[in-house]
Amino acid sequence: MAWLRSFWSGLPAEGRWLLAVVAAQTLGRGLTLPFTIIYLREVRGFDLGVAGALMALVAVAGFAATVPTGRLVDRYGARGVLLGGQGAMVIGCALLAFAADPWTAGAALALIGLTFGAALPAFNTMIAAVADGDVRQRFFGVHFALMNLGIGAGGVAGGLFVDVEAPATFAAVYLAEAATALVAMAVLLWPLRRLRGRAGRGAAPGAGRDPAPGPREAGYRAVLRQPAARRLAAVTFIGVLAGHGQFQVGIPSFAREVAGVSTGAIGLAFAVNTVMIVVLQLPVLSAIGGRRRTRAMLVMGGAWAGAWVLLGLSALGVGDLPPGAEPGAEDPPGAAGLGAAVATAGLLAFMAVFAFGETLLQPTVPAVTNDLATDHDRGRYNAVNAAAFNGGAIAAPAVAGLLLGLDLGAWYVALMAAGCLALCGLALALERVLPPEANGVPATAAPGAS
């Protein structure tokens, strides 16, 4: 708590208001995030294939928005871009609340996806405008913990409120999410009205870069010329493909259809993940302060690989299911037996270990991204990282669906674990081209830094 008080007291007023925006946004997002597919399928009656395609629109629209968003942030400032994104969220949520046909739902989800595509580059740029150095790294970590707390609290509230037999309850939570976006817009329009979102602090121009690009090079080409930017984007893409991107499709599908875990246990596992992030994030931030960020990524990759092994072991309990019980069946007879206990324990252990890795990832990658950038291209650096994130989010469910659909559960787990081990190699490769300051240590301390 002393660490948190010190962090809070050291933040400028704009930083505290940015955290208020995070709290409003994530609480509203949590109200609907776990229930959109249920809403499309069970309330609106859309076919599973149609509902899945509509859900994919969110990631596709977010990916499409990242390139223009980066340019707009660098030209006009992040605050205006973020305001536009929140306006799209208000319209998208209001449309979705009353979407009686797939076309209306598709338009609504595309608008929501555009919001996500704009939010990541713009919000990270605004964080860089109010914090630098170790404070910036701490801010990204606190932001992640607060985001999980808000989504978790919103998810609990939404779960207690929505009812598939009462469509009006779903309309209410989508309108509530639109209202939280209006709250965020109000904060951006008044308390943060003087913060355009062009960072005035951070890495010095040209720090850790190749010589200045030639006259024909500009924009994203100049960013992607930098080996550190390319390797950091690879870390983000693989991290999402073998990590966050598996949370919506791969992990719950493996748990149900391969390991035979009950729906209640899956819900508990996701709660464990959220709680562990909130509990661990501040101690982890304290532990990694002043240390090389690439070493934190290295530990993260190893932790995630170990987590996937634990998830794979959870499927060993399938053999203990009663005769005639199918993995994934709704709470099969004998689910309280040894097989179900092994499967549930493996899933809970996976979520706990994975959460530890997440607390290492979130403070480091955005901090490296913004410490590599200069004031005139910070939006594009964040957009490149956001594009890698959204690309991984698009690829992850496709890979999971393909392998699990072919009953290749063991190969699925092995591929994900291998991807996490590849993250370790990518982190070491990034370290070789990363300036010490962007890696979280002063240049004079770099040779002996841990």
Side-chain angles (χ1 to χ4, degrees), residues 68-93:
T69 292
R71 292 196 182 105
L72 290 171
V73 167
D74 287 332
R75 183 166 185 178
Y76 300 108
R79 189 180 73 96
V81 173
L82 200 55
L83 273 170
Q86 292 303 303
M89 177 65 85
V90 172
I91 298 171
C93 289

Side-chain angles (χ1 to χ4, degrees), residues 211-226:
R216 293 187 178 183
E217 290 188 313
Y220 286 103
R221 185 180 177 185
V223 173
L224 293 172
R225 268 191 85 237
Q226 313 308 320

